[in-house]
Amino acid sequence: MPRIECDNQNFPDWAELKFYEIVTLKQNERKNFNSTVEKQVLFMCKGSCSFENGTEISKVSKGDVLEIKNDKTVSVFNSSIEQVLLIMVGGSWGNEIGGRGVFSLSSVEHPKNLGDATSYWRNTELDNHYHDCDEYWIFFEGNGVAVSEDKFYRIEPGICIATKMGDHHDMPVVHETLGGIYFETTLKGKKRIGHLWNHTHAI
């Protein structure tokens, strides 16, 4: 089952992602992360804060994605009045991976699907696609509907949708603008990057 809840993280056996944590920090709050897995990646979703990695201190802002070395304790500190929201993911994956980032998805009045054909209703323009890698969507705001393995899943803050390599997936319905991260792990097979379709031309 690809729908995973933040407080009950039962990932399937094939998943290279093993855990995720959604963290909010108010002014003058700090969060320390101790590595318990081979690899970790930090996604800055809202605001900006100081990032301390050993003796190195840097500023990270919305949209930044940082690799975390597994032999160090890292810390984030919010010195601003704006609330910070970040997501830490961890697991074990190869050196050749797909894309990753922070995204927002809203409904549109006259949506188009440039991906493979579907029979379900939509109000977004995300394309129905697959990858040469596994992909994980983790949501921190909004609500809507995702499709993975031809099944429909309700999405809301705290939910992760885990999709196996080769399985089509889509976010056809947004009820309230979605904010989340996407993380594509080890490239396999032909190792093609990006959204893949069965058709040869956009429709």
Side-chain angles (χ1 to χ4, degrees):
M1 177 178 178
R3 184 183 188 272
I4 295 151
E5 298 184 6
C6 193
D7 56 358
N8 183 23
Q9 296 188 22
N10 186 21
F11 281 90
D13 292 340
W14 53 259
E16 294 180 318
L17 193 71
K18 301 302 180 185
F19 83 91
Y20 63 96
E21 184 177 1
I22 301 173
V23 176
T24 56
L25 297 176
K26 297 178 182 178
Q27 186 177 20
N28 295 324
E29 282 192 322
R30 178 182 297 274
K31 171 69 175 179
N32 296 321
F33 294 95
N34 298 305
S35 178
T36 58
V37 292
E38 181 181 345
K39 296 182 178 181
Q40 293 187 106
V41 179
L42 175 71
F43 294 79
M44 285 297 302
C45 302
K46 289 185 176 182
S48 61
C49 64
S50 297
F51 174 73
E52 301 174 14
N53 186 359
T55 59
E56 300 175 11
I57 301 176
S58 57
K59 183 177 181 180
V60 289
S61 302
K62 179 180 177 180
D64 288 343
V65 181
L66 301 175
E67 295 276 356
I68 308 300
K69 294 183 179 179
N70 64 353
D71 60 345
K72 291 184 178 180
T73 296
V74 299
S75 178
V76 288
F77 177 71
N78 181 19
S79 60
S80 70
I81 60 173
E82 182 181 11
Q83 182 172 273
V84 166
L85 189 147
L86 58 91
I87 298 177
M88 178 73 84
V89 304
S92 177
W93 46 81
N95 293 325
E96 290 183 276
I97 64 173
R100 57 191 182 178
V102 180
F103 71 85
S104 178
L105 184 66
S106 300
S107 62
V108 296
E109 190 172 345
H110 300 291
K112 297 176 183 177
N113 171 30
L114 297 180
D116 287 325
T118 63
S119 60
Y120 45 78
W121 181 81
R122 68 172 54 247
N123 68 356
T124 77
E125 291 192 334
L126 186 74
D127 56 305
N128 181 40
H129 64 281
Y130 68 97
H131 296 284
D132 279 349
C133 58
D134 304 333
E135 182 175 28
Y136 305 87
W137 295 330
I138 301 172
F139 301 91
F140 59 84
E141 66 183 8
N143 63 80
V145 176
V147 179
S148 182
E149 301 175 14
D150 297 320
K151 297 180 181 178
F152 293 85
Y153 298 95
R154 177 175 47 84
I155 47 181
E156 58 192 8
I159 294 300
C160 172
I161 300 295
T163 300
K164 195 173 183 180
M165 170 190 159
D167 285 338
H168 276 75
H169 49 294
D170 193 357
M171 271 184 279
V173 179
V174 169
H175 300 303
E176 181 182 355
T177 299
L178 290 165
I181 68 166
Y182 68 95
F183 185 43
E184 301 166 5
T185 51
T186 308
L187 289 167
K188 304 170 187 175
K190 296 180 181 180
K191 298 184 177 182
R192 295 166 293 182
I193 294 175
H195 290 199
L196 304 176
W197 306 330
N198 289 330
H199 66 77
T200 56
H201 300 287
I203 58 174

